[in-house]
Amino acid sequence: MIHRRGGLMFLTADPEDILEGKITDVYFERALKILKAKNINPVVKAEFIAKSLPDDWPWALLTGTGEAMELMKHLKVKVRAMREGSVFYSYEPVMEIEGRYQDFCVYETALLGLICQASGVSTQAARMKKLAGERLVMSFGARRMHPILAPMIERNAYVGGCDGVSVVKSGEVIGEDPMGTMPHALILCMGSTVEAIKAYDEVLDPKLKRVALIDTFLDEKFEVLNVAGALGERLFAVRFDTPGSRRGNFYRILEEARWELELRRLGHVKFFVSGGINEEDIPLLNPVVHGYGIGTSISNAPVIDFAMDIVEIDGKPLAKRGKWSGSKRVLVCLRCRKRKIVPSNGADKTACSCGGMFSDVLIPVLDNGRYLIEQEIPTRIREAVLQSVKELSL
Ligand SMILES: [Zn+2]
């Protein structure tokens, strides 16, 4: 649907279009027409799995389930799923939907879209936060994506581990104040980096940390001393957004600026970096950096290629070639963390070889419009993610 508001056009769907099944690949609509004409409507179980993960990621996070449930609560289906923010591995079903096929077939496109992108963003954020450790990781990449997606992208960046988001609306969605420093435009308009940080200090709420951008006009080493001299103790940090054409050895620039600050007893000034930061940069820069503004790497994270596959028709295991048929349980040992996939109808013996007990990761979440678990707030999901990612390697 094309929106026309005040003469503007946005090429985006309405939430109603999604709920009405209009965001569907047409072949599902055609399949539905045929099944109706032939009066075929089996009870189907279909699972969502990723047979592989992007960039050889050993694990990934499942996010977007809240939005998927927002859609599925309107359908006559039962759903089992992993909790929002769960770590999962390739070949593990992360969600299973059960219902009459005609009731949900046109929603496959939308359901996959809701979890594939969200999970990619949160996983990428989790990886970068893990690499950065205690250092701040801020989501700065909304500008690389369609603005209608900004809250979705930044919410998933946040639950994956980012410490903050830059877009005002995204802050509302996650329930935290947005984070940011100053744009080059402010410095260009004012004609001086020092004047810009002085005005920032004068005009803005004292509770906001004073962070100066220092790559606009002069060499970073001299500009960092200029702004630190101007604000003294009140200067919290400086941001290096050094353009690629001037970067040379970024680590050495940061190291040199640190040396000059320490020499003048201005060592309290922290260093933030931004501009095309990717996973490989973080371990290299960690020794001289206190915070990262991450743009495209997170907002344009690889999507996770979940597929929705039928595994059971009218109670009988049936799946296409290359897929394991039958409804499944995903179990984790509460002591040694070993995981296994077992048939749903198998024996209920749930003791691990280590002596620990297995627990179900895939749990009932929705029954014909009724939620069976509570939806957690983003801050809680993020805390649980940080905890569970701690013990994993990249
Ligand atoms: Zn065990």
Side-chain angles (χ1 to χ4, degrees):
M1 175 184 208
I2 297 177
H3 288 230
R4 288 193 177 77
R5 285 183 192 137
L8 291 172
M9 287 202 316
F10 295 120
L11 302 175
T12 54
D14 275 332
E16 291 73 27
D17 294 329
I18 300 171
L19 297 178
E20 287 165 14
K22 289 184 188 165
I23 308 302
T24 185
D25 295 299
V26 71
Y27 71 166
F28 292 122
E29 219 173 64
R30 290 172 186 163
L32 180 60
K33 196 169 180 183
I34 296 164
L35 292 171
K36 278 184 173 168
K38 296 293 176 183
N39 208 19
I40 295 171
N41 193 14
V43 173
V44 156
K45 285 186 182 173
E47 67 183 19
F48 294 75
I49 72 159
K51 289 215 281 189
S52 63
L53 298 174
D55 297 342
D56 293 326
W57 291 346
W59 49 268
L61 294 178
L62 174 68
T63 58
T65 62
E67 281 192 289
M69 282 170 69
E70 196 60 36
L71 169 54
M72 292 186 291
K73 78 180 182 190
H74 299 280
L75 310 177
K76 280 188 280 178
V77 293
K78 290 181 182 179
V79 181
R80 289 188 303 137
M82 293 187 187
R83 284 183 185 278
E84 179 75 356
S86 292
V87 171
F88 72 91
Y89 298 83
S90 55
Y91 274 94
E92 288 182 352
V94 297
M95 190 159 84
E96 183 200 76
I97 182 166
E98 175 185 0
R100 294 215 170 258
Y101 188 63
Q102 290 186 19
D103 290 338
F104 69 91
C105 76
V106 298
Y107 295 100
E108 180 171 336
T109 309
L111 286 170
L112 288 169
L114 289 170
I115 60 170
C116 289
Q117 190 180 14
S119 300
V121 168
S122 59
T123 306
Q124 185 65 70
R127 293 174 61 83
M128 296 187 98
K129 177 63 186 172
K130 189 173 168 67
L131 288 167
E134 292 306 304
R135 296 163 194 82
L136 209 59
V137 176
M138 294 163 281
S139 156
F140 279 2
R143 62 186 56 191
R144 303 282 177 247
M145 293 286 134
H146 195 292
I148 210 141
L149 297 180
M152 183 284 287
I153 288 170
E154 293 211 291
R155 180 269 186 199
N156 288 296
Y158 177 72
V159 300
C162 280
D163 297 281
V165 300
S166 63
V167 167
V168 173
K169 179 73 184 178
S170 310
E172 284 174 26
V173 168
I174 65 167
E176 300 282 334
D177 289 332
M179 285 184 181
T181 61
M182 62 169 64
H184 293 104
L186 175 70
I187 295 165
L188 291 165
C189 288
M190 299 201 65
S192 143
T193 301
V194 169
E195 289 312 311
I197 190 65
K198 279 161 77 177
Y200 190 103
D201 188 39
E202 182 192 318
V203 174
L204 296 184
D205 189 334
K207 78 169 191 197
L208 294 175
K209 291 191 168 120
R210 275 47 184 151
V211 182
L213 179 62
I214 53 154
D215 58 280
T216 309
F217 290 124
L218 303 176
D219 185 85
E220 290 80 348
K221 165 163 93 168
F222 296 103
E223 203 73 296
V224 76
L225 296 177
N226 292 341
V227 293
L231 247 61
E233 286 296 321
R234 289 203 307 291
L235 186 68
F236 178 72
V238 289
R239 175 163 72 98
F240 295 72
D241 190 54
T242 309
S245 61
R246 306 287 194 284
R247 212 164 261 198
N249 189 328
F250 199 26
Y251 178 89
R252 291 292 185 201
I253 297 174
L254 292 154
E255 189 187 44
E256 184 186 338
R258 172 58 56 203
W259 171 267
E260 300 295 340
L261 283 172
E262 300 283 355
L263 202 61
R264 292 164 180 80
R265 299 182 193 286
L266 293 165
H268 68 279
V269 179
K270 296 185 186 310
F271 286 179
F272 293 170
V273 295
S274 58
I277 305 289
N278 56 39
E279 274 192 24
E280 294 73 48
D281 298 320
I282 295 178
L284 298 175
L285 297 177
N286 273 344
V288 285
V289 164
H290 306 94
Y292 295 93
I294 313 284
T296 311
S297 295
I298 290 179
S299 66
N300 191 40
V303 298
I304 293 181
D305 285 341
F306 288 114
M308 188 189 109
D309 294 301
I310 290 179
V311 291
E312 208 175 283
I313 300 257
D314 285 331
K316 293 197 183 67
L318 187 66
K320 65 170 266 190
R321 297 163 70 202
K323 304 277 181 178
W324 302 10
S325 68
S327 178
K328 303 168 190 77
R329 292 166 70 187
V330 179
L331 304 174
V332 63
C333 170
L334 297 175
R335 185 191 287 177
C336 72
R337 313 308 293 172
K338 187 173 121 186
R339 298 167 78 95
K340 62 178 182 178
I341 304 169
V342 299
S344 280
N345 59 5
D348 205 33
K349 186 101 172 65
T350 53
C352 176
S353 54
C354 80
M357 290 300 289
F358 277 114
S359 166
D360 279 284
V361 186
L362 208 53
I363 55 169
V365 294
L366 195 63
D367 183 0
N368 290 289
R370 191 165 56 90
Y371 280 77
L372 304 176
I373 57 164
E374 274 190 40
Q375 301 287 300
E376 295 273 26
I377 59 168
T379 307
R380 288 261 184 290
I381 299 167
R382 177 175 178 275
E383 282 165 8
V385 164
L386 289 174
Q387 193 57 37
S388 52
V389 163
K390 218 181 244 178
E391 63 203 49
L392 304 174
S393 51
L394 294 175

